[in-house]
Amino acid sequence: MSDLSAIRTGAAATEDDPPRLVRLRAGDWNAGQTGLISAATILVLLFAWWLVTSLHLVAPLFLPTPQEVLAQLYAVFEDGYANATLWQHLSASLIRIFSAAAFALLIGVPLGLAMGVSRWAKGIFDPPIEFYWPLPPLSYLPLMIIWFGIGETSKILLLALAMFAPICLSAQAGVRSVPVERVNAALSLGATKWQLFRHIVLPSALPEILTGTRIALGVGWGTLVAAELIAATRGIGYMILSASQFLATDVVFVGILVIAAWAFAFSYALRLIERVLVPWKGKM
């Protein structure tokens, strides 16, 4: 009898207890920031670079020392390279990438949202996008040059096409990921289609759009350098190509470092924008 009473008492206590949630504490191995880990990784890579060049494991023609690259960076900044200063090369590349990004965002985001909410828009625009976006941008660069010449138009259009697909598809995926419970709750409260799109669909799709924009900028930088290798007189890609023709490996490293620094700056800026526009991301 006593055992039965004890079992009943324990069952009642279990039913009355609130559900317990598992939370990561500050001391857990997977919690906290990763800045120190990333900084340590960079230091290890730089030390490995310095060690390999100091021990002369690789000829300086193929792998210059970090000191030589820094000295060449200062020389290019002061005197320029290939008939232009470093800022003139960089500004030419930035104008192309910003122009293409603006074009891709203005067209890609509305079209991706439309493809997410309308089966007609998805049925019309999905086949051409799915056809061209897996293609390497350099495969249709000759077509851009034939149609629009070797000026800035062909380069910007090439970059815009390369960046358009990730932005458009991410916007479409963002709309598709909106929880149906949230939509039904808004409809049950009497929301109109415009209110549903403005207050539910667009905020829910915004994290996916920002992620797609970060991916598109990475694709754009890679395509920009390839485009400037073929038809350009200024730009970071053109500077790298000119340096490679004269076996100036240290200048090639300077161009790579400049590209990496600006790509990191773009990614960091987008992360800051993401924190401001979608502070709820990862917390729901």
Side-chain angles (χ1 to χ4, degrees):
M1 185 64 182
S2 59
D3 294 341
L4 181 61
S5 302
I7 293 173
R8 287 177 178 175
T9 304
T14 302
E15 292 174 356
D16 293 338
D17 288 341
R20 301 179 63 184
L21 301 178
V22 178
R23 295 179 179 176
L24 291 176
R25 297 187 298 273
D28 291 340
W29 66 275
N30 204 26
Q33 301 297 323
T34 59
L36 290 177
I37 300 174
S38 301
T41 303
I42 294 173
L43 289 177
V44 169
L45 292 175
L46 289 175
F47 177 76
W49 180 12
W50 172 83
L51 186 63
V52 169
T53 54
S54 298
L55 296 177
H56 302 289
L57 299 178
V58 181
L61 177 63
F62 302 106
L63 184 63
T65 64
Q67 302 91 317
E68 291 173 343
V69 173
L70 288 177
Q72 192 61 49
L73 174 62
Y74 180 77
V76 172
F77 181 78
E78 287 289 322
D79 305 326
Y81 190 83
N83 301 321
T85 64
L86 179 61
W87 173 245
Q88 288 173 331
H89 285 301
L90 181 60
S91 60
S93 297
L94 291 178
I95 290 173
R96 291 166 187 148
I97 199 79
F98 282 143
S99 302
F103 181 82
L105 284 170
L106 288 176
I107 305 298
V109 172
L111 185 59
L113 295 174
M115 291 172 64
V117 299
S118 170
R119 66 185 181 92
W120 284 97
K122 179 176 173 55
I124 293 173
F125 295 105
D126 196 51
I129 294 176
E130 291 291 340
F131 170 78
Y132 97 86
W133 84 263
L135 298 175
L138 285 182
S139 64
Y140 46 84
L141 175 59
L143 196 60
M144 294 289 106
I145 294 175
I146 292 173
W147 284 351
F148 303 102
I150 59 173
E152 294 299 317
T153 304
S154 59
K155 298 181 186 62
I156 292 175
L157 280 177
L158 179 74
L159 296 176
L161 285 174
M163 301 171 71
F164 170 79
I167 293 174
C168 182
L169 294 178
S170 64
Q172 180 187 358
V175 175
R176 297 284 179 177
S177 65
V178 177
V180 66
E181 294 84 3
R182 200 176 300 171
V183 175
N184 291 334
L187 291 175
S188 65
L189 293 173
T192 63
K193 289 184 177 180
W194 169 245
Q195 290 173 332
L196 182 67
F197 176 80
R198 180 183 175 186
H199 297 290
I200 302 296
V201 175
L202 185 58
S204 300
L206 201 52
E208 297 280 352
I209 294 174
L210 292 175
T211 302
T213 304
R214 286 176 56 192
I215 296 173
L217 279 174
V219 175
W221 270 113
T223 308
L224 171 72
V225 174
E228 290 177 344
L229 289 176
I230 295 177
T233 56
R234 282 185 181 178
I236 298 299
Y238 171 73
M239 188 181 78
I240 293 175
L241 175 64
S242 301
S244 65
Q245 292 175 342
F246 294 100
L247 297 179
T249 315
D250 48 358
V251 179
V252 174
F253 270 80
V254 168
I256 293 172
L257 289 178
V258 170
I259 292 171
W262 277 91
F264 178 80
F266 284 147
S267 180
Y268 188 74
L270 279 173
R271 288 183 183 181
L272 293 180
I273 294 173
E274 191 176 72
R275 290 179 187 174
V276 174
L277 294 182
V278 287
W280 62 85
K281 183 181 180 182
K283 300 177 182 178
M284 296 179 64

